[in-house]
Amino acid sequence: MSVLVIAEIDQNGLRAATRSAISAAAQLGQSVDLLLAGHELEGIASKAISIKGLGKILLADSAEYAAGLAENLAPLIVQQAAQYDTIVAAATSFGKNVLPRAAALLDVAMVSEVTQIIGPRTFVRPIYAGNLNATVSAPEGLAIITVRPTVFEAAAEEGGAAQIVHLNTTGDVAMSKLLHRDLAVSDRPELATAKTVISGGRSLGSKEAFQSTLEPLAAKLGAAIGATRAAVDSGMAPNDSQVGQTGTVIAPDLYIAFGVSGAAQHVGGIKDAKIIVAVNIDPEAPIFQVANYGLVADLFTVIPELSAALKA
Ligand SMILES: Cc1cc2nc3c(=O)[nH]c(=O)nc-3n(C[C@H](O)[C@H](O)[C@H](O)COP(=O)(O)OP(=O)(O)OC[C@H]3O[C@@H](n4cnc5c(N)ncnc54)[C@H](O)[C@@H]3O)c2cc1C
């Protein structure tokens, strides 16, 4: 079995989610290669060769790939596909954007959000907002899958000695163009990989209250700040802070939910947290069904008290 992992890069280099995809790929095949596409990749490639478990790095270093546009990356994946049994990417916004396009071009039915690998063609994936796990089999031939990065430990950054193979560009298909990118600048850790996450819901009431209430506590805990979709939709919190089925799926050591009702779509994104703490004024709130520790209380009382206690 040979497996190709599609690398995801950002302004900080190779994303940790890609190393999780490499670990998942290692469960599938003896030979795992990485497709690294982008522009001016010398630094990233020289680090990536040390990642444990990689055979080759297929390096496509060209201006057409600089913006990570799915339209330009898909033909590159298609060009390499014949050499592989399985193509894997992390189930991030990037992976969910690029891989279905490649799958459509290759006429392959892809399997998304894999959480467990049973065999070379058999995978477990959550359905109904994580309330059920389905075991599915991909048909014979090429399998294309995205894997949930939070459930596969990232491959070690050291210990490997991959060989770099340079690829020619497949060119600009000129179907899309990156006009502008807004990068959220934050002192907080990244939501997807943070060890501690605190989150707030609609009950925070306003953007100002959301920030002024949660930010001081997050700073003390070194936590990332998450939000429910209701909080995001009402403009209290940025889009990229949404936790859940249609947001980011997280697996922190500690998750504290303040004024979050615990809708199935939210809970689907926090199930892998090691400890869930919920603070809610409603003792019947569904979040208490999944919480390890629950406190029936007003968040506007609890958060200042907790912050003060942490200061002491
Ligand atoms: C297709 C689809 C996908 C979705 N995807 C997501 C997703 O990815 N993530 C997500 O979060 N949601 C998602 N949703 C929305 C989800 O169904 C809920 O509507 C949402 O999670 C509710 O957000 P909330 O808990 O902030 O609000 P509410 O459900 O309104 O709950 C507010 C809670 O705050 C409590 N409260 C009020 N005041 C206080 C106080 N002072 N102190 C303490 N507690 C207080 C209340 O008791 C209540 O439990 C999705 C919905 C659909 C249909």
Side-chain angles (χ1 to χ4, degrees):
M1 289 284 290
S2 56
V3 188
L4 180 65
V5 176
I6 312 301
E8 177 175 353
I9 52 179
D10 63 15
Q11 69 283 3
N12 299 317
L14 192 72
R15 296 202 62 200
T18 299
R19 289 189 288 113
S20 297
I22 293 170
S23 289
Q27 293 183 28
L28 281 165
Q30 292 81 30
S31 146
V32 179
D33 296 343
L34 182 72
L35 176 61
L36 182 57
H39 192 36
E40 296 175 345
L41 294 173
E42 295 81 7
I44 295 175
S46 65
K47 270 188 169 178
I49 53 174
S50 308
I51 295 174
K52 204 166 177 185
L54 286 181
K56 281 184 279 186
I57 293 180
L58 309 184
L59 187 63
D61 194 336
S62 183
E64 290 84 17
Y65 307 124
L69 296 175
E71 290 80 359
N72 284 352
L73 290 171
L76 183 66
I77 297 170
V78 170
Q79 186 199 60
Q80 297 304 315
Q83 303 168 50
Y84 294 94
D85 300 294
T86 313
I87 296 178
V88 181
T92 56
S93 304
F94 171 84
K96 291 176 190 176
N97 186 21
V98 173
L99 237 51
R101 181 171 284 271
L105 292 171
L106 290 159
D107 201 18
V108 170
M110 69 171 283
V111 181
S112 59
E113 299 262 355
V114 167
T115 53
Q116 201 185 333
I117 290 162
I118 309 274
R121 286 280 173 285
T122 311
F123 313 104
V124 175
R125 62 183 299 269
I127 55 171
Y128 297 115
N131 284 316
L132 287 176
N133 285 324
T135 302
V136 296
S137 282
E140 283 309 306
L142 177 69
I144 298 189
I145 65 171
T146 57
V147 296
R148 211 172 249 194
T150 48
V151 295
F152 296 96
E153 200 174 324
E157 286 180 284
E158 301 296 334
Q163 177 205 345
I164 291 189
V165 177
H166 292 270
L167 301 182
N168 290 329
T169 175
T170 43
D172 183 0
V173 297
M175 289 172 75
S176 63
K177 208 191 268 183
L178 178 75
L179 297 181
H180 181 67
R181 181 173 271 151
D182 278 323
L183 284 180
V185 183
S186 169
D187 295 338
R188 305 264 65 81
E190 198 190 337
L191 182 62
T193 50
K195 297 276 177 225
T196 305
V197 176
I198 66 170
S199 78
R202 192 199 313 263
S203 49
L204 267 299
S206 69
K207 186 177 178 183
E208 294 68 34
F210 193 94
Q211 275 172 359
S212 64
T213 310
L214 294 180
E215 188 62 45
L217 181 61
K220 280 200 183 142
L221 290 170
I225 298 180
T228 64
R229 178 163 160 180
V232 169
D233 285 351
S234 53
M236 291 179 211
N239 271 308
D240 61 359
S241 66
Q242 184 177 317
V243 170
Q245 184 193 349
T246 45
T248 304
V249 175
I250 58 172
D253 292 341
L254 174 64
Y255 180 68
I256 314 180
F258 292 103
V260 171
S261 60
Q265 297 90 351
H266 185 83
V267 170
I270 61 167
K271 273 193 173 145
D272 293 325
K274 291 203 178 75
I275 294 182
I276 298 173
V277 179
V279 178
N280 197 303
I281 42 169
D282 177 7
E284 303 298 326
I287 190 80
F288 289 128
Q289 288 168 21
V290 293
N292 302 87
Y293 300 94
L295 182 60
V296 179
D298 188 327
L299 69 93
F300 292 106
T301 311
V302 170
I303 292 180
E305 283 180 2
L306 187 55
S307 285
L310 286 167
K311 198 188 263 177

